[in-house]
Amino acid sequence: MALRPEDLPSDPAALAEMVLAFEGENDDLRAEIATLKSLIFGARSERAAIVCAEQIAFDLERTAGSQLPANDDKPDAPRPERRKAKRNIGALPAHLPRVERVIEPASTLCPCCTGQMHRIGEESSEALDRVCFGME
């Protein structure tokens, strides 16, 4: 509805009432814009596939002027810290027997200068051997 200066009332009380009505309408429109933005740009789990006008109107009437927490969330409650997942990537269970095998060179003398060689690196790995017993 377009307002023209000749349509405005001259009574200050009526003008104040119109301003308050427009402020309420602006608040409703801001809430609707915020709802639409969250539906479009929100987290993937919060996006809605189909949004009906009735759903938006219901949501705005219920939450006009205040932000209600979703589900049973408490807005000021501290969130519990998540523990890091325990993953066993490449390690064998501790209860399995271990066999350590060290492979040394035949001679620790350098083939070039015949000086004493020293260890520059070490590598270890775990492997699971399968032992099959013959069926008799």
Side-chain angles (χ1 to χ4, degrees), residues 78-125:
R79 293 184 179 187
E81 290 194 26
R82 295 181 70 185
R83 289 184 284 152
K84 190 172 181 180
K86 293 181 181 180
R87 295 196 172 114
N88 183 4
I89 301 174
L92 296 175
H95 71 278
L96 292 176
R98 304 291 200 266
V99 176
E100 187 172 324
R101 203 169 16 156
V102 178
I103 302 173
E104 297 280 342
S107 171
T108 58
L109 296 177
C110 178
C112 305
C113 63
T114 64
Q116 188 68 26
M117 292 193 293
H118 62 278
R119 180 175 291 167
I120 59 171
E122 186 174 304
E123 184 178 314
S124 65
S125 64

Side-chain angles (χ1 to χ4, degrees), residues 7-29:
D7 295 338
L8 292 174
S10 59
D11 182 30
L15 284 173
E17 187 178 323
M18 285 180 68
V19 168
L20 291 175
F22 285 135
E23 282 182 6
E25 186 178 336
N26 284 343
D27 290 341
D28 290 344
L29 291 174

Side-chain angles (χ1 to χ4, degrees), residues 28-40:
D28 290 344
L29 291 174
R30 283 189 188 103
E32 187 172 350
I33 288 171
T35 301
L36 292 173
K37 279 185 178 179
S38 70
L39 290 172
I40 294 170

